[in-house]
Amino acid sequence: MNDPGGMRASDAEREAVVERLREASVEGRLTLSELTERTEAAYLAATHAELAQITADLPDGVPHAAAYPSSPPPSPRTGRARRWYVAVMGDTKRRGKWRVDQEIGAVAVMGDVTIDLREAEVRSNEVDIVATAVMGDIKIIVPDGVDVDLTGIAVMGDKRVDVLEAPPGQHVPVVRVRAYAVMGDVRVIGDSQAKPIQRAWFAWSEWWQERRGEMRAGRGDHLLGMREQRHELHRAHQEVRRAHHEAMREVRDGLRQARRDSRRDDRRGGPFPPPPPPPPYG
């Protein structure tokens, strides 16, 4: 008799496990990184035994395919006020273990804001962020494998995504960012581009890492070339911005010097001495 754990998993069973992982995240059992990694592992799992490993430490084990819908439910709106992180000529950082149960706002005015979502407990199907950078930088760190939706405008600034996203068609966590950059930068970077975080090693991690490497090997060279092109464009853009800032600084310095000269001349009665009074008549 064949081992039941060795039976090949179906697409419906994989989707059922993905939905159970999403529910576990909403319940606060998984961080965003754990949810993303296990979701990717569920799509790469080949047998029932591998699916069982992914959810072994969660209640109810592996759910039946009919227990959950194959498509993710819509993201609920909590109606709570947006949580803001603001930096004005300074730095603001949010990292480590924290709970995301409302929408997020970030503002950087001649300062830096860093929001690290990797160890956050996300209580909805997606994360919504509004990022405004005015002569400042906003960096949002997410796990590789999430779906990033970046919209907005950049005026003499930059907004970009540098994340290894999941293949199309997978129900992975979604991070939506509306970026408004005015002479500033809004960046969404993946885990591979940031300082690594401490992770637990699970029984399924070894085969997941092997299959993940095989899957990404084919498109690794292409992604590397695209990344190098983006970096070249970014460097050229930074050179233009630096030249513009230098020119603006020279203009401001010239205006300040002109104002100082004007005030000094006013105290002295003008740039030239006044003419002598005319001699009396007769």
Side-chain angles (χ1 to χ4, degrees), residues 3 15 20 28 32 69 81 85-86 93 95 110 120 131 136 141 172-173 189 197-198 203 245 251 255 265 270 272 282:
D3 180 12
E15 292 291 350
R20 179 67 194 102
L32 184 60
Y85 299 94
V86 181
K93 298 180 181 180
R95 53 166 57 110
M110 301 179 67
I141 307 175
V172 298
I189 65 173
I197 60 175
Q198 186 176 2
H245 290 168
V251 171
L255 291 175
D265 293 339
F272 303 102

Side-chain angles (χ1 to χ4, degrees), residues 183-231:
M183 300 178 66
D185 295 334
V186 177
R187 297 182 298 155
V188 184
I189 65 173
D191 190 51
S192 58
Q193 305 297 316
K195 183 179 179 180
I197 60 175
Q198 186 176 2
R199 285 184 167 88
W201 188 261
F202 300 98
W204 47 267
S205 298
E206 186 173 355
W207 61 260
W208 167 64
Q209 291 282 5
E210 292 177 356
R211 293 180 192 170
R212 185 190 203 191
E214 294 173 358
M215 180 188 68
R216 293 182 174 177
R219 55 188 181 126
D221 295 338
H222 175 67
L223 291 173
L224 181 60
M226 292 180 60
R227 185 176 299 160
E228 291 177 350
Q229 290 178 0
R230 288 198 300 268
H231 289 170

Side-chain angles (χ1 to χ4, degrees), residues 36-99:
T36 304
E37 292 171 356
R38 296 192 188 206
T39 298
E40 184 179 19
Y43 282 113
L44 294 176
T47 65
H48 284 180
E50 291 175 348
L51 286 178
Q53 285 182 309
I54 298 170
T55 56
D57 58 346
L58 299 177
D60 301 331
V62 178
H64 297 291
Y68 303 101
S70 59
S71 59
S75 175
R77 296 294 182 181
T78 60
R80 299 180 60 183
R82 188 180 297 271
R83 178 184 296 178
W84 289 94
Y85 299 94
V86 181
V88 180
M89 301 182 67
D91 297 335
T92 297
K93 298 180 181 180
R94 188 65 178 94
R95 53 166 57 110
K97 294 187 178 297
W98 56 299
R99 180 181 299 179

Side-chain angles (χ1 to χ4, degrees), residues 12-46:
E13 289 166 335
R14 294 188 186 94
E15 292 291 350
V17 171
V18 169
E19 186 59 34
R20 179 67 194 102
L21 294 172
R22 184 176 288 108
E23 289 189 352
S25 175
V26 173
E27 295 166 354
R29 303 180 190 274
L30 299 175
T31 66
L32 184 60
S33 286
E34 292 171 338
L35 172 62
T36 304
E37 292 171 356
R38 296 192 188 206
T39 298
E40 184 179 19
Y43 282 113
L44 294 176

Side-chain angles (χ1 to χ4, degrees), residues 154-265:
V155 180
M156 299 183 66
D158 190 22
K159 61 181 182 68
R160 68 183 187 274
V161 177
D162 194 0
V163 178
L164 294 174
E165 299 187 51
Q170 295 186 1
H171 297 149
V172 298
V174 179
V175 178
R176 303 189 187 278
V177 180
R178 285 174 288 167
Y180 305 95
V182 181
M183 300 178 66
D185 295 334
V186 177
R187 297 182 298 155
V188 184
I189 65 173
D191 190 51
S192 58
Q193 305 297 316
K195 183 179 179 180
I197 60 175
Q198 186 176 2
R199 285 184 167 88
W201 188 261
F202 300 98
W204 47 267
S205 298
E206 186 173 355
W207 61 260
W208 167 64
Q209 291 282 5
E210 292 177 356
R211 293 180 192 170
R212 185 190 203 191
E214 294 173 358
M215 180 188 68
R216 293 182 174 177
R219 55 188 181 126
D221 295 338
H222 175 67
L223 291 173
L224 181 60
M226 292 180 60
R227 185 176 299 160
E228 291 177 350
Q229 290 178 0
R230 288 198 300 268
H231 289 170
E232 288 294 333
L233 291 174
H234 178 65
R235 282 193 289 268
H237 177 71
Q238 290 293 83
E239 289 295 331
V240 173
R241 286 185 59 193
R242 277 194 289 269
H244 175 77
H245 290 168
E246 288 290 336
M248 293 296 294
R249 185 163 54 248
E250 292 178 1
V251 171
R252 288 194 297 268
D253 292 343
L255 291 175
R256 292 194 191 100
Q257 186 62 40
R259 286 196 295 268
R260 285 195 292 267
D261 294 343
S262 177
R263 288 195 295 267
R264 184 176 61 251
D265 293 339

